[in-house]
Amino acid sequence: MTDTMEQAYQSLMTNFDVAVLDQVVSAAYDPMNANRAQANTALMKLQEAPDLWTKADQIIESSQNPNTRFFGLQILDDAIKT
């Protein structure tokens, strides 16, 4: 993972910020972004966090990016299925 995406991931793990998540999701969904693969890796690692589901409401309500809101819904869906 590039330093930028690693820093974003670490930031999300220590001090969750929906704006940072919006940036990571935007990078992951932008085919022209040089950090796309690293952003996808960061999102996959983030999804593995056992308490991420507790942030789903914050993600869905506060995100400015529809793809980030969808990510929040996926987190909630995964939590319900387990």
Side-chain angles (χ1 to χ4, degrees), residues 6-17:
E6 182 63 31
Q7 289 170 347
Y9 172 76
Q10 292 301 326
S11 172
L12 289 168
M13 293 305 291
T14 56
N15 188 19
F16 192 81
D17 184 353

Side-chain angles (χ1 to χ4, degrees), residues 23-68:
Q23 293 172 351
V24 174
V25 171
S26 291
Y29 279 83
D30 180 1
M32 302 304 288
N33 192 307
N35 292 321
R36 183 178 186 195
Q38 293 82 11
N40 277 320
T41 300
L43 290 175
M44 287 188 292
K45 283 175 61 176
L46 192 59
Q47 274 187 302
E48 294 173 4
D51 62 340
L52 185 62
W53 70 270
T54 63
K55 307 289 187 200
D57 62 332
Q58 182 181 354
I59 294 167
I60 295 165
E61 291 175 6
S62 302
S63 174
Q64 300 300 310
N65 182 336
N67 291 322
T68 306

